[in-house]
Amino acid sequence: MNNNSRRIVSRRTFWCLCLAAGLLFLGAVFLLSRHADMQDCERRMTELIDFVKEQSSSYVQYNEIAVAKALVRETTAVQELDGVTLDCGEDELRQYVERLGLTGISVLDANGRLVCEYSADSIGYTRLQTDLEVERVLAVIGHP
């Protein structure tokens, strides 16, 4: 009976050791797998962030170029409008609008009162006055 009892104990010990070794192996596989997944996720996130940065930079650069082009066109248009006088007519303003590709022109006197205007889209100065600050509009006179 002593021999039988030793076999049962050694079998239990064997199975406990096998179970412990299996759990250790399973834990090691889990940890290594988790580590590999985290590195892969970090790599993909880095690539995604770099892509978003690149796209954002391209978009910002495109917008800055578009704004610069618009400012150059506006500067050219304003320089050509330098010849408009206070006694201008609607026909003269229409010709300026067509030639310069504008939507309209409003001519104001030094006090900010409307002298004459032409608008291709029927949006006149009175409608724009709600959004414009008169001081800023009149400041243009001091900065030709």
Side-chain angles (χ1 to χ4, degrees):
M1 182 149 159
N2 203 4
N3 201 7
N4 244 354
S5 139
R6 281 187 190 163
R7 277 191 214 167
I8 291 174
V9 170
S10 65
R11 280 186 183 173
R12 281 187 185 159
T13 305
F14 173 75
W15 285 113
C16 285
L17 288 174
C18 285
L19 181 63
L23 288 174
L24 284 174
F25 182 71
L26 183 64
V29 167
F30 173 76
L31 290 175
L32 290 173
S33 171
R34 182 175 178 273
H35 180 69
D37 283 346
M38 289 296 286
Q39 283 186 337
D40 185 51
C41 183
E42 287 175 2
R43 181 189 53 78
R44 287 184 298 159
M45 287 297 290
T46 302
E47 289 175 0
L48 179 66
I49 289 171
D50 289 343
F51 175 76
V52 169
K53 281 182 186 177
E54 180 182 326
Q55 294 302 312
S56 175
S57 175
S58 296
Y59 186 71
V60 167
Q61 184 178 10
Y62 172 76
N63 281 342
E64 288 173 352
I65 290 170
V67 168
K69 285 180 179 178
L71 288 173
V72 167
R73 282 192 294 267
E74 288 176 22
T75 302
T76 304
V78 168
Q79 287 172 349
E80 289 196 34
L81 288 173
D82 194 31
V84 176
T85 60
L86 290 178
D87 60 344
C88 61
E90 191 173 317
D91 290 333
E92 182 183 354
L93 293 180
R94 183 181 49 76
Q95 291 172 0
Y96 275 112
V97 166
E98 290 172 357
R99 189 176 76 230
L100 299 174
L102 302 173
T103 56
I105 299 173
S106 298
V107 179
L108 308 176
D109 64 8
N111 296 323
R113 288 187 298 267
L114 183 66
V115 175
C116 61
E117 75 176 332
Y118 175 79
S119 176
D121 58 3
S122 301
I123 297 177
Y125 180 69
T126 53
R127 186 166 172 199
L128 293 176
Q129 261 182 319
T130 58
D131 297 328
L132 294 175
E133 296 177 19
V134 178
E135 296 82 25
R136 292 185 185 260
V137 173
L138 294 178
V140 174
I141 295 171
H143 298 84

